[in-house]
Amino acid sequence: MTAGRGVLLPSLDLIRQTIIVETAYTLARLRILERLPGNPIGVAYRHVDDGVVAMMARHIPGFNAVTGLRSGLERHVAPLAEWYRSAGIQTQFELVPGTYDKELGRELSRLGYFQAGFHTSLIREPEPLGGDADAADAAAAVERVTTAEQFDAFLDAYTAGWQIPERAGFKANVQPWLGLPGWQLYLARVDGRPAAAGILFLHDKVGYCADAATDPAFRRRGLQTALLRRRIADAHAAGVEFVCSGADYLSTSHRAMERVGMRVQFVRALWRQLG
């Protein structure tokens, strides 16, 4: 694939690769939690068909999702819905344009699911980003996290940004993030203080700009734009074929991604159960 803005034309292959890398990242997070003594989070997952994955975390609802469903695989909907129902868990089925058909929608509707929301996938070519038109606060600095001290500061910014209540427990649970294959962690500081955090996940020649968060005390300073620029540049240096990420449509994160040249690839539909 040749570098240069505008060469990434929409295709089912790009959609497939994007879903694969997103799912691989989520599974990596779940496997870390699964290894906690006694599996207290209640992690489980199923590889159902070629590219179809059902993920479960009983005590972290945001992980409960089915990805990779496409036309011709509606036979899997009812068994997966029952798997979650028997565990007492609400889930969502994530359906993507180009792979969706009316039979999938009809089967989900029959089982009491409805289209409850949207989530945007954005993509761009892997060229280095230069210039400072959207530079962060002059007092800010972005660094790659490689030491335990940096990692602790990264988690300070991350937990503040996501407003995680049990910060000590969370920090203990995610210690394997540092040094995990394919993971690169980034910290933005303002005047030396941990202010924002972001993750780059490298998988099968794709760079995924994954979780990112800014401490509320440091928002509106361009820190997420700066973190995106650094991650995209590092993904390019790693030789990826393209960079992708996701955000709620027209959210602050979506706008930051557009500022660094990312463009909407697709908007997935999130189907959840009534009630």
Side-chain angles (χ1 to χ4, degrees):
M1 183 177 296
T2 303
R5 187 162 296 182
V7 302
L8 287 177
L9 298 178
S11 72
L12 291 177
D13 186 56
L14 286 176
I15 291 172
R16 180 188 63 82
Q17 291 182 74
T18 298
I19 294 170
I20 286 172
V21 71
E22 291 174 342
T23 302
Y25 170 74
T26 304
L27 283 172
R29 290 195 59 175
L30 285 174
R31 286 172 179 139
I32 289 171
L33 297 174
E34 183 185 28
R35 291 195 293 268
L36 295 174
N39 190 11
I41 307 299
V43 171
Y45 40 86
R46 288 185 173 183
H47 295 268
V48 179
D49 209 315
D50 182 23
V52 180
V53 182
M55 296 168 283
M56 178 188 296
R58 286 182 173 84
H59 303 296
I60 308 180
F63 282 113
N64 297 321
V66 178
T67 65
L69 269 177
R70 59 190 182 278
S71 58
L73 298 180
E74 58 273 2
R75 66 186 180 277
H76 295 305
V77 173
L80 289 174
E82 174 59 24
W83 183 54
Y84 286 103
R85 190 203 64 79
S86 65
I89 290 173
Q90 290 274 1
T91 192
Q92 68 182 20
F93 288 81
E94 301 183 358
L95 303 182
V96 173
T99 66
Y100 169 85
D101 68 5
K102 62 183 180 181
E103 296 304 323
L104 277 173
R106 183 176 290 124
E107 180 65 358
L108 284 163
S109 296
R110 184 183 71 83
L111 295 168
Y113 287 81
F114 73 105
Q115 187 176 329
F118 300 94
H119 192 262
T120 308
S121 170
L122 296 98
I123 191 171
R124 69 156 290 149
E125 68 289 338
E127 64 184 26
L129 296 177
D132 57 1
D134 295 304
D137 187 308
V142 175
E143 60 196 59
R144 171 88 180 271
V145 175
T146 59
T147 69
E149 182 180 3
Q150 287 175 308
F151 185 46
D152 191 59
F154 166 93
L155 291 176
D156 284 340
Y158 186 96
T159 55
W162 286 111
Q163 298 182 333
I164 295 173
E166 299 294 335
R167 296 187 184 184
F170 179 86
K171 285 185 172 185
N173 291 344
V174 302
Q175 288 302 306
W177 284 9
L178 182 62
L180 201 65
W183 286 50
Q184 296 184 185
L185 311 180
Y186 297 87
L187 169 66
R189 299 180 190 264
V190 173
D191 294 326
R193 297 169 58 194
I199 299 172
L200 172 65
F201 180 62
L202 300 171
H203 181 78
D204 284 349
K205 304 292 284 185
V206 179
Y208 177 44
C209 292
D211 293 5
T214 302
D215 184 329
F218 297 99
R219 288 177 181 167
R220 300 187 181 278
R221 298 193 183 192
L223 298 179
Q224 285 304 320
T225 300
L227 283 166
L228 281 166
R229 286 185 175 277
R230 173 64 185 273
R231 287 180 287 170
I232 292 169
D234 284 5
H236 171 265
V240 304
E241 295 180 353
F242 67 92
V243 179
C244 60
S245 192
D248 291 334
Y249 186 67
L250 294 184
S251 64
T252 300
S253 295
H254 179 178
R255 294 174 187 275
M257 292 173 193
E258 294 271 1
R259 288 191 191 99
V260 298
M262 303 188 78
R263 295 294 178 262
V264 174
Q265 178 183 201
F266 60 81
V267 179
R268 80 194 79 212
L270 310 178
W271 286 66
R272 302 182 184 123
Q273 201 161 25
L274 287 168

